[in-house]
Amino acid sequence: MLLIEDDSAVREGLELALSRHGHRVRAVESGEQGLERLRADPPDVVVLDLMLPGIDGFEVCRRIRAAGDVPIIMLTARGDDFDVVAGLEAGADDYVVKPVQPRVLEARMRAVLRRVGREQAELERYRDLTIDRAGLVVTKRGEPVGLAPTELRMLLELSGTPGRVHSRQQLLESVWEHGYFGDSRLVDACVQRLRAKIEDDSAAPVYVQTVRGFGYRFGPV
């Protein structure tokens, strides 16, 4: 974790207490030092005092958030609604009011890391392709991929069990909800459209692979 706090007593006390609980703490006394440390040694979480000399905590928070999605817990000397609201609007994830109890701060850190862990678990990355199952968003090299509803359902179905072969009939039942022996051309046409959007070369697919005589599976495997 990265602790940015200009009060030496608070900084040293928190560093000692959190280190005793097994945290790897990097403590600095200014926003400038914090931003430099962030670039050199990216932390799992930032604990940020709002009242800093030079670049204040609000601006540091905005710069950290613009650079990435590391969780930020702000420290405020007051339970002032203005400080809290301004800090949250700047991009902070949570806040703790001074004087800081180390066990309270540690609990907030664990909570925000759990939330981040759950959010990251919903993102599946396969080479250049990212699938957000919660948001129903697919991106390739960071750019959104526009998929029709059946194409998206096909991708979600196949990627749910990478490496597993799905027969055309199974895909008809799961994607189109056809409970009868349907027309497999629906599946093949949907796969062709999906490949045209997510593959670099649809003639040599990496993600939606054909298993001759059986059906399709999701790679890379």
Side-chain angles (χ1 to χ4, degrees):
M1 66 158 288
L2 174 62
L3 171 63
I4 307 175
E5 167 62 66
D6 67 315
D7 186 315
S8 59
V10 174
R11 185 176 64 252
E12 292 167 8
L14 288 176
E15 184 177 9
L16 178 61
L18 293 171
S19 296
R20 284 176 175 172
H21 283 84
H23 297 280
R24 177 176 172 266
V25 182
R26 296 292 178 266
V28 297
E29 61 183 0
S30 72
E32 292 86 347
Q33 292 175 354
L35 292 171
E36 290 177 6
R37 173 66 70 173
L38 187 79
R39 288 189 289 269
D41 185 15
D44 293 328
V45 61
V46 175
V47 177
L48 171 66
D49 182 25
L50 290 181
M51 299 296 108
L52 294 171
I55 304 175
D56 68 22
F58 299 103
E59 179 60 24
V60 173
C61 187
R62 282 189 285 269
R63 294 189 189 185
I64 293 174
R65 183 55 66 237
D69 56 3
V70 60
I72 303 169
I73 300 175
M74 57 183 175
L75 304 180
T76 175
R78 312 182 299 275
D80 191 310
D81 286 345
F82 175 80
D83 277 0
V84 171
V85 171
L88 294 173
E89 289 180 344
D93 297 280
D94 202 348
Y95 71 96
V96 176
V97 177
K98 292 181 179 180
V100 182
Q101 297 296 321
R103 65 178 183 277
V104 173
L105 176 57
E106 186 182 28
R108 297 290 182 87
M109 288 168 52
R110 292 186 185 280
V112 76
L113 287 171
R114 281 197 300 271
R115 291 199 297 272
V116 170
R118 286 197 296 271
E119 291 168 2
Q120 291 177 340
E122 293 173 343
L123 292 179
E124 301 170 8
R125 294 181 174 85
Y126 307 94
R127 298 191 184 181
D128 296 329
L129 199 68
T130 300
I131 301 172
D132 179 353
R133 289 185 176 272
L136 299 179
V137 174
V138 178
T139 59
K140 183 177 179 181
R141 300 188 185 98
E143 295 296 322
V145 178
L147 298 178
T150 52
E151 296 162 3
L152 178 58
R153 287 197 294 270
M154 174 72 76
L155 180 59
L156 293 175
E157 181 68 21
L158 291 170
S159 64
T161 51
R164 174 187 168 188
V165 179
H166 298 250
S167 71
R168 289 173 173 81
Q169 183 60 31
Q170 288 172 331
L171 291 169
L172 276 170
E173 293 174 358
S174 57
V175 176
W176 285 268
E177 299 181 357
H178 284 187
Y180 58 89
F181 189 76
D183 189 343
S184 63
R185 290 176 297 182
L186 284 172
V187 177
D188 295 338
C190 183
V191 166
Q192 289 177 4
R193 294 194 304 270
L194 179 59
R195 283 174 172 167
K197 294 180 179 181
I198 68 172
E199 303 284 359
D200 287 336
D201 181 359
S202 57
V206 171
Y207 301 110
V208 181
Q209 303 172 354
T210 300
V211 180
R212 294 191 181 279
F214 293 94
Y216 298 100
R217 70 181 174 195
F218 185 82
V221 294

